[in-house]
């Protein structure tokens, strides 16, 4: 069982930056895919970005492409989401998740961290 713990959320002004971290409770295999999602009140959970375990390819939702960067440090069991040029519409609870491969669903989820962007 892998437990994921997000950190780094908070309050930031529009145009600012934050970096979220996702620490795994145990060593995650280097071939796990890691993803970031978010959910604002009254909306469905939205995919933001993922990084593949095999090869490290990255994928982004159009809404964050060019502003957010996903990365991982397998030695530290940690995935990151660097968020730049934040907008009020980025306000949400942000979740990290892990899956065995791109052919399987995300099965491990963190508890979420709140990001609030003020205008």
């Amino acid at each position: 069982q892998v437990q994921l713990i997000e950190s780094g959320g908070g309050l930031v002004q529009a145009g600012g930056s934050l970096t979220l971290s996702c620490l795994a409770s145990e060593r995650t295999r280097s071939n796990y895919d890691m993803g970031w999602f978010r959910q604002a009140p009254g909306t469905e959970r939205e995919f933001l970005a993922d990084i593949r375990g095999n090869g490290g390819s990255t994928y982004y939702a159009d809404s964050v492409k060019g502003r957010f960067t996903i990365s991982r440090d397998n030695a530290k069991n940690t995935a990151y989401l660097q968020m730049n040029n934040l907008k009020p519409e980025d306000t949400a609870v942000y979740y990290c998740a892990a899956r065995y491969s791109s052919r399987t669903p995300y099965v491990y989820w963190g508890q979420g961290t709140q990001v609030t962007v003020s205008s």
Side-chain angles (χ1 to χ4, degrees):
Q1 182 76 15
V2 175
Q3 292 183 327
L4 304 175
I5 302 173
E6 302 96 338
S7 62
L11 174 64
V12 64
Q13 288 188 333
S17 298
L18 281 176
T19 298
L20 305 183
S21 299
C22 174
L23 174 65
S25 61
E26 63 182 60
R27 178 179 174 81
T28 53
R29 297 177 183 175
S30 60
N31 59 349
Y32 278 19
D33 291 353
M34 300 294 296
W36 285 96
F37 297 74
R38 69 185 178 191
Q39 188 169 20
T43 68
E44 295 186 351
R45 190 169 294 185
E46 174 190 12
F47 165 80
L48 299 177
D50 68 25
I51 183 166
R52 300 299 167 85
N54 288 325
S57 297
T58 57
Y59 299 85
Y60 296 92
D62 288 342
S63 58
V64 303
K65 195 175 297 183
R67 297 190 299 125
F68 291 9
T69 302
I70 189 171
S71 62
R72 64 193 296 164
D73 185 336
N74 290 333
K76 295 183 178 180
N77 299 337
T78 302
Y80 304 95
L81 186 68
Q82 171 70 41
M83 306 185 294
N84 298 324
N85 190 23
L86 284 163
K87 306 174 182 180
E89 52 263 42
D90 293 318
T91 296
V93 178
Y94 284 68
Y95 300 89
C96 70
R99 64 183 181 185
Y100 298 108
S101 77
S102 61
R103 296 182 299 276
T104 61
Y106 281 96
V107 293
Y108 300 114
W109 292 85
Q111 82 289 347
T113 186
Q114 176 70 46
V115 171
T116 303
V117 184
S118 63
S119 57

